[in-house]
Amino acid sequence: MSKKSVISIRPASTEDAAAACFVVRESIRRICSPDYPSKTYMDEWLSNKTIENFTLWINCPDNWTFVAESNGTEQAQVVGVAMLTKNGTILLNYVLPEVLRQGVGKALLQAMEGTAEQNELPNLQAESTITAKAFYDRNGFLANDEPIY
């Protein structure tokens, strides 16, 4: 992400399924892999991360799905994706490795927190990876179990 890039967060649409799938798969492969070195485990984790499933997840009435776009080029690029269930569980919050630690994940988290507040959800919980645990700790989440993939 260039210094001139502006990140915007918006609800995901069906047209975002391929980009969202790419972001999550790249993040898992390139950011999470040091914490999950088993190829078998990684293959299992990635097995349901398909464009078809992202299309279903985006269209599911029980989820709110968001994308983060970088508007620093002629065409906006999806650089992050997040998903919150209507019961307050954060299922996804992934960013491309190129934008890691540049505020994209936090902006997505803030969008989910705002949605939770607007919909009067009493609290949020995150299904976190080992890799993301420190992110959630920094953002006020308390661990009640071990991180998962």
Side-chain angles (χ1 to χ4, degrees), residues 101-148:
R101 294 182 181 84
Q102 294 183 29
V104 177
K106 185 166 184 132
L108 286 163
L109 179 60
Q110 289 170 336
M112 290 186 286
E113 290 172 334
T115 297
E117 186 176 320
Q118 289 171 356
N119 289 278
E120 301 178 353
L121 299 181
N123 57 39
L124 293 181
Q125 58 186 8
E127 292 189 0
S128 175
T129 62
I130 293 168
T131 309
K133 183 183 180 308
F135 168 81
Y136 287 110
D137 289 346
R138 283 192 309 273
N139 285 283
F141 283 72
L142 302 173
N144 62 359
D145 207 343
E146 292 298 313
I148 59 170

Side-chain angles (χ1 to χ4, degrees), residues 13-86:
S13 69
T14 301
E15 292 77 25
D16 296 313
C21 182
F22 176 79
V23 167
V24 171
R25 291 180 68 85
E26 284 297 294
S27 182
I28 290 169
R29 282 188 189 127
R30 296 173 48 205
I31 297 172
C32 299
S33 62
D35 293 325
Y36 300 92
S38 165
K39 180 177 177 357
T40 303
Y41 192 82
M42 291 295 287
D43 289 347
E44 179 185 323
W45 188 4
L46 292 167
S47 67
N48 72 338
K49 309 308 186 283
T50 64
I51 295 170
E52 294 79 15
N53 281 344
F54 270 90
T55 300
L56 292 172
W57 298 337
I58 288 168
N59 290 323
C60 179
D62 295 329
N63 300 330
W64 291 288
T65 308
F66 301 92
V67 293
E69 287 184 321
S70 173
N71 299 308
T73 61
E74 286 184 26
Q75 184 174 359
Q77 176 190 5
V78 173
V79 296
V81 62
M83 185 181 303
L84 173 67
T85 68
K86 293 198 175 174

